[in-house]
Each structure stands twice: as C-alpha cells, then as structure tokens.
Amino acid sequence: MTERGKAPGGSTFPLPLSSVTGGGARKPATPAPIARPQTATQNAARAVGGAQAPKAAQPGPKLPGYAPNTQSAPAAQRSDLAATEAIRRAMVARVAGQGVRDPVVLGALEAVPRHLFIEPALSSQAYVDASLPIGHHQTISQPYIVARMIEAMREAMPDGKPMGRVLEIGTGCGYQAAVLARVAQEVYSIERIKPLHELAKANLRPLRLSNLRLHYGDGMLGLAQVAPFDGIILAAAGMEVPRALLEQLAIGARLVAPVGGQVQHLQRITRTGKSAWTSETLEACHFVPLRPGTA
Ligand code: SAH
C-alpha cells in the first residue's frame, strides 16, 4: 500500500495519537460517565453483592429468554417479558437522555435483549448503563457507547434508510453485533479470542439474525473479501486506526473507533475519495485494547 490518505490539516493515515487528542472533542448533551474496563469488574462486584461475598447475589428482575411471540406464551412468562421490555425501555430512555437522538438506533437498542449476552449471575445488571465482564479480560460495552458509535457511523444516512454492509471489529459477547444487525442490511463481526467467538455464536443463535456473519480472526486486517463497507465500528482501542480498515471503507462511508491508550477518544473517519479521508474527534471513552493476531 503506497497511498497515504490526507486528513484536513494534512495529517496522514494511520493517524497518530497526537492527531486525535488535540482538543475539539464534541461534548454530548449530558456528558456520559466514562466506563473503563475496570469499571466492569466493579459493576460485577456490585451485582453480586461485593467482591468479598461473591455468592450473595442480589435478587434482580427475572429475565426470560427472548420470546417475541407473546400471544402463545403462558401468562407468567408474558408478564416477565413485559417487565423485561419495560426495564429495557427505561435503559433506552436513559441513553436518549444522554444525547443519542437517532430513532433507528434507539429502536434497535430497545429490540435487543441485552440480558441474553450476560452471564446469569450478572443478569440483574443487564439494563444498567454500564460495561460488564464477559471473561478473558474483556467486557460487554456500555449501552450508551454502543448507541453513540452506531449513531455516529449513521449520521449522514438519509432518514430511515438502513445501511448496506457494516463491519464490527471485536465481537466480544455479540451484543453490539445484534444491535448493528437491526440497523444494517449485512453485518460482519470479527473476534480474535476463540472462546469469545464461540460465546457470541451461542448468544446470538436464539435471535436468528440471518444478516449477521461472525468471523474468528484478527480484525485489524479487516475482511478484504467482503469489502468495501458502508460503515466500520471498532470495539477495542488502538493508538491508531489500522490502515487496512481505512482501505476497506467505501467512499463516503464512516469508521468509528476509540483511539488512544490511557486517554481515549472516539474518532470518526470519513473516506472522502480514493486516497482521502477526513477525521473528527468525538467524546472521551475507554475501551479494552485492540490487539494483533488471534488467541
Ligand atoms: N462488541 C462488544 C464489545 C467487546 S469488547 C459488545 O458488544 O459489547 C472488545 C473485543 O474486541 C474483545 O472481545 C477483544 O477480544 C476484541 N478484540 C481486540 N482486538 C481485536 C482484533 N484485532 N480483532 C478482533 N477482535 C479484537
């Protein structure tokens, strides 16, 4: 690859950290707390009654499996389902209150049963706006940040129009992939840790999302065989956005990624031409690191 993309002000891609931390970060309407990976451990400890007493689980709302056909469900299951939906609506209202406006994204967030992606001991925390551990030192992302990234990726889309082909790097437990599958026609998601790839497959199976494909591999390389993508989201933070991913964006398409180390910001990159990209720095965030290779 010999071309170097030009960003406004002449920065080249891959973008160095210095080009994304130099101010200009857009503030959300209500600043969202920055959830850190270690916050997930604290959230989990709170969910199970404190780290010293991991067995003393707090009774939370009983969360049934996803059963969209409420007509045929028994009465008790119907009321569980209604309770879960009410809790989920409240979560979506909080996310909207933090500044996410896109109705398509909020609708998708409301449709995906997040509790199915969380281990049973933590399911009472499923609709708290927090990241939670999913094993292998990784986390399920905070609902606000999931929604914000998808909104940022979609921002230029004409109202109500679904996106075509979207790529996610870092499937984790599969939650964001499920939300993406409700806003795009085709979704590809790559995970580098084999047991998490398998976990995501198991979590997503009951949702029967026929437009979602999971891949095991190094997402830093993207998926050249399926490119170009109308949108790319990274769910893990690198010091720069991998060049291969920039090359796999369609012209006019957007990539949203956390960039940085200890200090991270969401960055949105738009491909404006064959060899041209522009970038914007959005709000502060905190994600687990983007790592090369597979595990
Ligand atoms: N999308 C998830 C968040 C997962 S956390 C959600 O819906 O909540 C980020 C994930 O990125 C981790 O599972 C981590 O293993 C993965 N990851 C890190 N580097 C990667 C890479 N190079 N390719 C693919 N996945 C990667």
Side-chain angles (χ1 to χ4, degrees):
M1 213 67 67
T2 53
E3 292 163 348
R4 301 292 290 177
K6 290 282 181 213
S11 25
T12 54
F13 289 93
L15 294 171
L17 176 62
S18 58
S19 72
V20 298
T21 53
R26 188 185 119 181
K27 294 267 181 298
T30 307
I34 302 172
R36 299 172 180 280
Q38 60 269 33
T39 319
T41 317
Q42 288 155 12
N43 293 335
R46 231 178 284 129
V48 297
Q52 283 76 30
K55 294 206 177 93
Q58 300 295 311
K62 195 162 162 270
L63 299 171
Y66 189 52
N69 182 3
T70 55
Q71 295 310 309
S72 58
Q77 201 181 323
R78 279 206 300 276
S79 71
D80 275 354
L81 187 62
T84 308
E85 284 171 353
I87 297 167
R88 195 151 63 238
R89 269 198 301 279
M91 178 194 84
V92 174
R94 281 195 305 278
V95 169
Q98 287 177 286
V100 175
R101 301 249 137 69
D102 185 337
V104 173
V105 175
L106 294 172
L109 212 60
E110 192 166 327
V112 176
R114 191 169 185 257
H115 63 276
L116 295 189
F117 295 86
I118 289 170
E119 61 175 278
L122 302 178
S123 68
S124 67
Q125 297 289 298
Y127 296 105
V128 172
D129 192 24
S131 55
L132 292 166
I134 56 171
H136 304 273
H137 307 292
Q138 308 302 323
T139 57
I140 179 172
S141 299
Q142 180 196 3
Y144 165 77
I145 207 78
V146 166
R148 181 68 195 111
M149 289 178 98
I150 301 176
E151 178 178 63
M153 177 183 71
R154 272 177 48 85
E155 216 143 42
M157 295 298 295
D159 266 1
K161 191 169 174 281
M163 299 191 75
R165 188 172 297 164
V166 167
L167 175 66
E168 179 195 33
I169 311 305
T171 317
C173 62
Y175 174 67
Q176 184 160 28
V179 179
L180 284 169
R182 296 195 168 260
V183 307
Q185 281 160 346
E186 273 174 65
V187 177
Y188 297 82
S189 182
I190 311 176
E191 174 55 55
R192 67 179 287 277
I193 299 178
K194 184 83 178 192
L196 289 179
H197 167 72
E198 297 298 337
L199 173 71
K201 271 205 279 193
N203 287 343
L204 287 160
R205 202 166 291 127
L207 299 185
R208 297 166 190 265
L209 298 165
S210 58
N211 61 336
L212 173 59
R213 295 275 177 279
L214 301 185
H215 287 255
Y216 167 61
D218 180 359
M220 290 172 77
L221 307 174
L223 267 186
Q225 66 273 32
V226 196
F229 294 98
D230 302 314
I232 299 180
I233 284 189
L234 279 81
M239 298 305 284
E240 57 186 28
V241 175
R243 173 86 190 173
L245 300 179
L246 298 174
E247 294 287 352
Q248 291 176 24
L249 273 179
I251 291 173
R254 288 172 153 173
L255 173 150
V256 179
V259 177
Q262 284 290 89
V263 177
Q264 299 172 7
H265 286 86
L266 282 186
Q267 188 175 359
R268 174 167 62 185
I269 296 171
T270 306
R271 187 170 195 177
T272 53
K274 190 170 181 323
S275 313
W277 293 262
T278 58
S279 98
E280 300 156 78
T281 299
L282 310 178
E283 66 240 44
C285 57
H286 203 98
F287 279 79
V288 294
L290 185 68
R291 295 196 190 286
T294 53

